[in-house]
Amino acid sequence: MDKLLIRGGCSLQGEVTISGAKNAALPELCAALLTAEPVTLHNLPRLRDVATMRTLLEHMGVRSQTFGERGGMCLQAADPIRPEAPYELVKTMRASVLALGPLLARFGQARVSLPGGCAIGSRPVDQHIKGLTAMGAEIVVEHGYMVAGLPAGRTRLKGARIATDMVTVTGTENFLMAASLAEGETILENAAQEPEIPDLAEMLIKMGAQIEGHGSSRIRIQGVERLHGCTHQVVADRIETGTFLCAVAVAGGDVLARHGRLDYLEAVVEKLRASGVTVTAVDDGIRVQSAGAATLRAQSFRTTEYPGFPTDMQAQFMALNCVALGTAKVTETIFENRFMHVNELVRLGANIQIDGKVAVVVGVPRLSGAKVMATDLRASASLVIAGLVAEGETLVDRIYHLDRGYDQMEIKLRALGADIERVK
């Protein structure tokens, strides 16, 4: 099993190219199921989850071909398609549930395993079932699978007003794709507003969908009888961008994050600037400058839905707070088990106390390298960031979590001057 070996103390300088967003790429790969015509995606990140999704689609009968050096892939879901997502292929990936909406919309049936993914808390699929049921689907959960179909006499889902009990990103994406081929109008209330949502909507519009209001909490979709192929570029990953901004903040340096968009990270950038880091929007990217950990000031924050502080940046910013001057309260409101990285940061010398949904972080003058274990995707990133500033060697185990969501992180960090390598 691969590990990352990090020798702390090196500042970061130069340019890093931000890859396509995992959370946009996965639904957009599933969107290829909505048409029999070829769909071409550019800027797909080289991630384990993307490879798993491709394998899943190929299992269903989708033909795929990669090309170019910048993550190009052409997919064609021509008949026959097997509308099934088996457990063996989706047990490590939450995003498998995104196949449910497109399969139901185009083929009128689906058998999708209940998904897996990071062990960061309950992420129920009941909202997906509730929304698709409102559109006329009949869904039962049995033997670990969601088995879905349409009532006798119906060949298409029907438009509906869907108001979810909570903001759900994958739910909004599933409903967007399903409603694009439904009969009549669908209105999504309480829709997620993350940048990956309008990126998916723009792709669907290129395919012939009629969508208004994407990027707001109320989206209107007028269903069409068929969609056609398209070419689309996946939006840059705002979480990878934020991770590199935090890494430079802690290690010190001057880095251009190419393709990064400051307007997608306003809540994080606000806290970085308050901590003493210089963050500037430039042509085709974001420039981040920091004098290093000794100059940082701790910042309290509370995770919430976009455009608030993202839960996917909580662990990375906590690593920053560990070496900043002062005390910060970090409140996690999205996932109940997303403090599992705390014990590992403490192994590196951090001073953190947890009280329910709140972690109190007291900055320390230094961290010391140690063997640590990643527990989920973003926890992995926080340990890498801490390792960049820790004295001595830090060995991060179970980095398969990291490979699920970061495109060659150690190669990008090494190009910026970090002393980091992947070891067996």
Side-chain angles (χ1 to χ4, degrees):
M1 188 179 295
D2 288 0
K3 302 174 176 61
L4 284 183
L5 178 62
I6 308 166
R7 300 174 184 89
C10 300
S11 65
L12 305 178
Q13 308 284 338
E15 292 187 7
V16 59
T17 299
I18 302 301
S19 301
K22 173 178 83 87
N23 291 340
L26 297 178
E28 287 165 7
L29 284 166
C30 286
L33 291 166
L34 292 167
T35 178
E37 297 181 13
V39 169
T40 300
L41 293 173
H42 294 282
N43 202 34
L44 284 169
R46 291 162 291 190
L47 304 175
R48 181 171 295 184
D49 276 9
V50 170
T52 300
M53 184 63 80
R54 181 187 184 185
T55 301
L56 172 61
L57 292 172
E58 289 178 342
H59 168 82
M60 294 179 186
V62 178
R63 296 195 297 271
S64 69
Q65 182 177 1
T66 56
F67 59 89
E69 297 180 356
R70 289 296 306 278
M73 187 182 299
C74 183
L75 305 103
Q76 187 167 13
D79 291 329
I81 294 295
R82 182 190 302 112
E84 179 186 51
Y87 172 75
E88 290 74 22
L89 290 177
V90 306
K91 60 186 177 182
T92 63
M93 186 178 62
R94 166 70 185 174
S96 57
V97 72
L98 290 166
L100 185 61
L103 289 174
L104 261 174
R106 183 170 162 215
F107 302 102
Q109 58 179 314
R111 184 173 183 267
V112 177
S113 171
L114 294 171
C118 288
I120 55 175
S122 175
R123 296 192 278 187
V125 298
D126 62 319
Q127 299 301 303
H128 298 255
I129 295 173
K130 175 184 175 182
L132 293 170
T133 299
M135 298 176 71
E138 296 178 339
I139 305 175
V140 296
V141 178
E142 58 184 17
H143 308 300
Y145 281 80
M146 293 173 285
V147 181
L150 297 178
R154 288 205 66 90
T155 59
R156 294 171 65 187
L157 293 169
K158 65 178 189 293
R161 178 182 175 274
I162 301 174
T164 53
D165 300 328
M166 63 186 75
V167 177
T168 162
V169 175
T170 53
T172 301
E173 291 165 341
N174 239 337
F175 305 147
L176 263 178
M177 292 186 282
S180 295
L181 285 179
E183 182 180 348
E185 183 179 77
T186 298
I187 297 176
L188 305 183
E189 307 281 6
N190 200 27
Q193 302 176 55
E194 276 75 358
E196 296 80 19
I197 301 292
D199 194 58
L200 171 63
E202 290 299 325
M203 175 184 172
L204 294 171
I205 290 170
K206 292 176 185 176
M207 297 172 70
Q210 297 181 15
I211 304 173
E212 297 177 354
H214 43 293
S216 75
S217 62
R218 191 173 193 265
I219 306 176
R220 185 186 301 267
I221 310 104
Q222 188 68 41
V224 298
E225 288 192 11
R226 64 181 296 273
L227 296 175
H228 52 73
C230 76
T231 298
H232 181 73
Q233 178 156 316
V234 179
V235 69
D237 194 323
R238 62 193 171 94
I239 304 302
E240 183 188 19
T241 304
T243 300
F244 275 97
L245 297 187
C246 286
V248 178
V250 168
D254 185 346
V255 170
L256 170 63
R258 193 166 295 283
H259 305 321
R261 290 187 51 168
L262 191 147
D263 57 329
Y264 285 174
L265 278 169
E266 289 182 348
V268 175
V269 169
E270 178 185 341
K271 293 297 181 181
L272 282 169
R273 286 171 172 165
S275 74
V277 180
T278 301
V279 185
T280 312
V282 298
D283 290 343
D284 193 32
I286 300 174
R287 185 181 182 187
V288 54
Q289 298 164 286
S290 172
T295 65
L296 298 176
R297 298 183 296 274
Q299 300 297 313
S300 298
F301 62 90
R302 178 186 185 91
T303 64
T304 187
E305 291 84 3
Y306 187 88
F309 198 100
T311 182
D312 279 351
M313 282 299 305
Q314 179 252 103
Q316 300 92 305
F317 209 99
M318 185 183 289
L320 181 155
N321 277 333
C322 286
V323 293
L325 179 64
T327 300
K329 289 185 178 180
V330 176
T331 306
E332 174 60 53
T333 70
I334 307 298
F335 295 125
E336 66 269 25
N337 292 339
R338 208 159 202 177
F339 283 149
M340 291 191 294
H341 50 281
V342 167
N343 288 338
E344 302 304 301
L345 289 171
V346 169
R347 282 181 54 77
L348 297 173
N351 183 351
I352 309 172
Q353 299 293 326
I354 299 176
D355 182 10
K357 294 182 177 181
V358 179
V360 179
V361 186
V362 181
V364 296
R366 69 181 185 90
L367 298 176
S368 58
K371 293 181 179 179
V372 290
M373 182 176 66
T375 53
D376 62 70
L377 170 55
R378 306 307 173 185
S380 308
S382 74
L383 298 177
V384 172
I385 291 171
L388 292 174
V389 73
E391 295 180 359
E393 293 186 347
T394 299
L395 187 66
V396 184
D397 200 353
R398 293 174 63 178
I399 61 167
Y400 57 82
H401 288 296
L402 195 76
D403 293 338
R404 288 187 47 237
Y406 288 95
D407 185 349
Q408 299 180 313
M409 175 183 264
E410 78 280 6
I411 294 175
K412 292 181 178 181
L413 283 171
R414 192 161 58 243
L416 295 175
D419 190 345
I420 181 173
E421 61 181 312
R422 182 177 292 249
V423 296
K424 296 294 183 184

